[in-house]
Coordinates of all heavy atoms in Angstrom, one line a residue:
G22 N 28.4 -48.5 -59.1 CA 27.4 -48.5 -58.0 C 26.1 -48.0 -58.5 O 25.7 -48.1 -59.7
L47 N 18.0 -49.4 -65.2 CA 18.6 -50.6 -64.6 C 18.0 -51.8 -65.4 O 16.8 -52.0 -65.5 CB 18.2 -50.8 -63.1 CG 18.7 -52.1 -62.4 CD1 20.2 -52.1 -62.4 CD2 18.0 -52.2 -61.1
G59 N 27.2 -77.2 -56.3 CA 28.3 -77.8 -56.9 C 29.3 -76.8 -57.6 O 29.1 -75.6 -57.4
D70 N 27.4 -53.0 -79.1 CA 26.9 -52.8 -80.5 C 28.0 -52.2 -81.4 O 28.0 -52.3 -82.6 CB 25.7 -52.0 -80.6 CG 24.4 -52.7 -80.1 OD1 24.5 -53.9 -79.9 OD2 23.4 -52.0 -79.8
D84 N 26.4 -71.0 -67.9 CA 26.8 -71.9 -66.9 C 27.6 -73.0 -67.7 O 27.0 -73.8 -68.4 CB 25.7 -72.5 -66.1 CG 26.1 -73.6 -65.1 OD1 27.3 -73.6 -64.8 OD2 25.3 -74.3 -64.6
P124 N 22.9 -53.4 -49.4 CA 24.1 -52.6 -49.4 C 25.2 -53.1 -48.6 O 26.4 -52.8 -48.8 CB 23.6 -51.2 -48.9 CG 22.3 -51.4 -48.3 CD 21.7 -52.7 -48.8
F129 N 29.6 -63.1 -51.6 CA 29.2 -64.4 -52.1 C 29.3 -65.4 -51.0 O 30.3 -65.5 -50.3 CB 30.1 -64.7 -53.3 CG 29.8 -66.0 -53.9 CD1 28.5 -66.3 -54.4 CD2 30.8 -67.0 -54.0 CE1 28.2 -67.6 -55.0 CE2 30.5 -68.2 -54.6 CZ 29.2 -68.5 -55.1
D134 N 36.6 -69.2 -56.5 CA 38.0 -69.6 -56.8 C 38.8 -68.6 -57.6 O 40.0 -68.4 -57.3 CB 38.0 -71.0 -57.4 CG 37.4 -72.1 -56.5 OD1 37.6 -72.1 -55.3 OD2 36.6 -72.9 -57.1
I138 N 38.6 -61.4 -66.4 CA 38.0 -60.4 -67.2 C 38.7 -60.3 -68.5 O 39.9 -60.0 -68.5 CB 37.9 -59.0 -66.4 CG1 37.1 -59.2 -65.2 CG2 37.3 -58.0 -67.4 CD1 37.1 -57.9 -64.3

Side-chain angles (χ1 to χ4, degrees):
L47 177 66
D70 291 345
D84 178 16
F129 180 56
D134 298 317
I138 299 173

